[in-house]
Amino acid sequence: MQPPVSTGIMLVILQVFTLYCPVWSQNVSKGRDRPRSRRKIPDEQRLIEKLLRRYDTAARPVYNASHQVTVKFGLTLTQISDMDEVNQVLTTNVWIEQEWEDERLKWDPKDYNGLAVLRMPCEKLWLPDIVLYNSADDFTGGYMQSKAMVSFEGNVFWPPPAKMRSSCKIDITYFPFDDQKCHMKFGSWTYDGLQVNVTHRNEKVDLSNYVFSGEWELIDIEVKNNQVYYACCKEPYPDVTFYILMRRKTLYYLFNIIFPCLWLSLLSLLGFWLPPDSGEKITLGITVLLAFSVFMLLIAENMPATSEFVPLIGLYLTTTMAMTSLSIVLCVFVLQLHHPSPNQRPVPQWVKTAVFKVIARIICMKSAVNTASYQDELVKDEMCLATFLESVEAKEGSTCNGGYIPAGVVRAQNHDRNERPRNDKNATYEKISKHLKFLVQKQDYEDQYLDIVNEWRMVACVMDRFLFWLFLVGSAISTTIILVILPMSKNTS
């Protein structure tokens, strides 16, 4: 009888456990939940949950669809990062300031322990689709997803930092003394002015955090509101446009482009002072011309490929290269004058008049020309040999200096001659006379040719100095007009 009693007891225990186990598990779970219900939620969390409970970021922040959302747009310029003249792109670092009213984001600070301003993630709020119209980048990046500051009155302020790359039409007419005026146009891309009105937040751009650029000097920034009517729609589209006026700093270009060009111009002028016999006049001119070509290539790499503008420095280099090329041609002309051909004719009278009397007087070389003429006109002593021949043919008894031998001496000489054979004397005399006449004629021809060569070399020397002063004045005038007067006229205009 023992086993049936123990079996019954076990069944009773199992039934009791089965009945009270669910009740015990519920009490345990309730006991665990009691501390959670007593845990406090932060005021900001409660406020965010309340504000975003039925919030839709796709809807404008107004309850009445006919009302307009006014977005105040401002800009804080921190740095002009780069100006790409070739691609005509301006890169700037800015802080964008956007402010508007959201009617759905209002609360009483007393209910949240005086919480008046709340920082909320911008991706959970309605944001105006304001873009840079003249952006040179794609629109996939967007702004930095910084938090927005929301006040209890519904005012939303969103200041994301951004790097803007805007297209800018570059006017390189006065490069490197140029001023550039670029604009940045901001506006809503889809909302018209009846739905979202974009206006400027401040009259001036904040420059308190501006980092000065080593290449550009910031002159002024203007802010303007515009309303544009596009062909697609009849509603106006407002925008805020910032006009940035900046001036290029020229110190870098003075030491790296302009001053080297001036030195090369002076080197091209020194070619007129080189002696023609040195053989380096043409070599120097060609070397300077190649150096100018290198500078022209360096400048062309930094300039946009456009035919609308011609920079001043390019115009200056082109003018200087043209003058250098002309100087090489004129050096060839001077060398031709200095080295005449064997059949060179004498200097024409009109050339002597123009060069020796007019040009030489202008460049103060009259004294040098007179000295050379005086040396050419010196009367040379008569050659004894030529006088001897003439005197022998004219009469007997004359000396080589034009004097006469006494009669007794002449008779003695005649007596000696009569003693010699007449035929031998005549043959020897004729042979000597023929050789002496040939030598005298050759010497006279060489003297005449040397006089012609000296005259042409004097003409070359005068022309060399005249071309030097002519090119010096031309270089000074072109440099003053292109690099001084034209930039000053740009500033005055």
Side-chain angles (χ1 to χ4, degrees):
M1 299 298 293
Q2 293 289 337
V5 175
S6 60
T7 305
I9 295 173
M10 291 297 294
L11 292 174
V12 172
I13 293 173
L14 289 175
Q15 291 177 358
V16 172
F17 180 78
T18 305
L19 292 174
Y20 287 96
C21 184
V23 177
W24 179 80
S25 61
Q26 290 179 2
N27 292 334
V28 172
S29 62
K30 289 181 180 179
R32 291 179 179 177
D33 292 341
R34 284 173 187 173
R36 292 187 180 179
S37 62
R38 294 176 182 176
R39 185 182 301 172
K40 293 183 178 180
I41 299 177
D43 294 332
E44 292 186 2
Q45 181 178 346
R46 290 192 299 113
L47 181 57
I48 291 176
E49 291 178 356
K50 175 182 177 297
L51 295 177
L52 300 180
R53 187 168 300 161
R54 300 177 61 184
Y55 193 93
D56 190 354
T57 58
R60 288 188 304 127
V62 289
Y63 289 110
N64 191 339
S66 62
H67 290 177
Q68 182 186 69
V69 179
T70 300
V71 179
K72 298 178 181 179
F73 190 89
L75 208 64
T76 297
L77 182 62
T78 60
Q79 186 183 16
I80 297 177
S81 180
D82 182 38
M83 170 63 83
D84 189 354
E85 289 91 353
V86 177
N87 298 315
Q88 304 191 49
V89 175
L90 172 65
T91 305
T92 54
N93 295 330
V94 298
W95 299 344
I96 298 176
E97 302 171 354
Q98 302 181 60
E99 185 178 357
W100 65 92
E101 296 290 336
D102 195 329
E103 297 179 0
R104 298 171 294 179
L105 300 178
K106 293 183 179 181
W107 70 92
D108 188 359
K110 297 179 182 179
D111 298 338
Y112 299 92
N113 297 320
L115 180 61
V117 179
L118 181 65
R119 273 75 177 175
M120 299 181 63
C122 64
E123 61 270 10
K124 295 184 178 182
L125 302 178
W126 176 87
L127 300 176
D129 57 343
I130 295 180
V131 297
L132 178 62
Y133 273 59
N134 58 323
S135 176
D137 276 336
D138 54 12
F139 296 93
T140 58
Y143 304 141
M144 173 183 173
Q145 299 299 310
S146 62
K147 291 187 176 182
M149 292 179 285
V150 183
S151 67
F152 69 96
E153 297 176 346
N155 182 270
V156 182
F157 179 66
W158 184 41
K163 174 176 283 189
M164 296 293 181
R165 298 184 73 249
S166 57
S167 59
C168 177
K169 187 175 181 59
I170 306 297
D171 185 359
I172 58 171
T173 302
Y174 297 98
F175 176 86
F177 308 98
D178 55 331
D179 296 346
Q180 301 298 335
K181 189 172 184 179
C182 300
H183 73 280
M184 301 173 67
K185 179 180 177 181
F186 293 91
S188 176
W189 189 251
T190 57
Y191 291 108
D192 55 57
L194 301 179
Q195 294 176 320
V196 175
N197 182 28
V198 182
T199 181
H200 59 272
R201 189 168 183 266
N202 300 309
E203 295 293 336
K204 296 290 184 180
V205 175
D206 186 8
L207 298 176
S208 58
N209 297 288
Y210 178 71
V211 179
F212 291 93
S213 173
E215 184 180 1
W216 295 95
E217 177 186 359
L218 185 62
I219 304 299
D220 189 23
I221 300 180
E222 298 180 7
V223 184
K224 289 185 179 181
N225 279 99
N226 304 306
Q227 283 194 351
V228 183
Y229 291 87
Y230 296 99
C232 66
C233 315
K234 61 180 180 179
E235 296 85 2
Y237 281 80
D239 64 76
V240 178
T241 305
F242 298 87
Y243 296 93
I244 304 175
L245 179 61
M246 50 191 177
R247 178 171 298 164
R248 192 188 303 270
K249 296 181 179 180
T250 59
L251 185 61
Y252 171 82
Y253 298 95
L254 284 176
F255 280 95
N256 291 276
I257 295 180
I258 296 178
F259 286 163
C261 291
L262 292 177
W263 309 149
L264 290 176
S265 300
L266 294 178
L267 285 178
S268 64
L269 294 176
L270 291 180
F272 294 106
W273 283 91
L274 281 178
D277 294 330
S278 65
E280 300 294 333
K281 294 173 73 70
I282 307 299
T283 304
L284 178 61
I286 294 177
T287 304
V288 173
L289 187 62
L290 292 177
F292 276 120
S293 302
V294 172
F295 274 101
M296 182 67 79
L297 293 176
L298 291 177
I299 294 176
E301 290 179 355
N302 298 323
M303 293 293 101
T306 176
S307 300
E308 297 182 10
F309 312 104
V310 178
L312 283 181
I313 190 64
L315 181 62
Y316 174 72
L317 286 178
T318 303
T319 304
T320 309
M321 289 177 63
M323 295 181 64
T324 304
S325 303
L326 184 60
S327 68
I328 295 174
V329 175
L330 294 177
C331 283
V332 174
F333 170 71
V334 171
L335 291 176
Q336 178 65 26
L337 296 178
H338 186 81
H339 300 285
S341 61
N343 298 324
Q344 184 67 43
R345 296 181 180 180
V347 180
Q349 187 61 37
W350 65 271
V351 175
K352 292 182 179 179
T353 303
V355 174
F356 295 152
K357 293 184 179 180
V358 179
I359 298 178
R361 189 185 302 275
I362 294 175
I363 61 177
C364 302
M365 288 189 65
K366 188 67 177 176
S367 59
V369 173
N370 293 335
T371 302
S373 300
Y374 175 75
Q375 292 177 355
D376 291 340
E377 293 175 359
L378 288 177
V379 179
K380 300 179 180 179
D381 292 338
E382 294 181 354
M383 296 181 61
C384 180
L385 193 57
T387 308
F388 172 74
L389 293 175
E390 293 175 358
S391 63
V392 168
E393 293 178 354
K395 56 183 178 179
E396 294 181 352
S398 62
T399 64
C400 65
N401 291 325
Y404 293 94
I405 304 175
V409 178
V410 172
R411 285 193 295 269
Q413 292 177 350
N414 292 333
H415 179 71
D416 294 336
R417 292 192 190 101
N418 292 331
E419 293 179 355
R420 297 175 182 176
R422 178 70 61 180
N423 295 331
D424 294 340
K425 182 185 71 172
N426 293 334
T428 303
Y429 175 77
E430 290 177 359
K431 186 180 295 185
I432 293 174
S433 176
K434 186 181 298 183
H435 283 287
L436 291 178
K437 285 182 179 180
F438 173 76
L439 293 175
V440 170
Q441 292 176 357
K442 181 180 179 181
Q443 184 65 33
D444 291 340
Y445 175 78
E446 292 178 354
D447 291 342
Q448 293 177 1
Y449 179 75
L450 184 60
D451 292 339
I452 294 174
V453 170
N454 290 334
E455 284 185 350
W456 281 113
R457 289 185 175 180
M458 180 56 63
V459 171
C461 181
V462 174
M463 292 301 299
D464 227 357
R465 298 298 178 270
F466 174 70
L467 293 175
F468 167 77
W469 289 109
L470 183 63
F471 273 78
L472 179 62
V473 173
S475 299
I477 292 175
S478 62
T479 302
T480 304
I481 293 176
I482 297 176
L483 300 181
V484 178
I485 296 179
L486 290 179
M488 291 179 63
S489 65
K490 178 263 303 183
N491 293 331
T492 56
S493 61

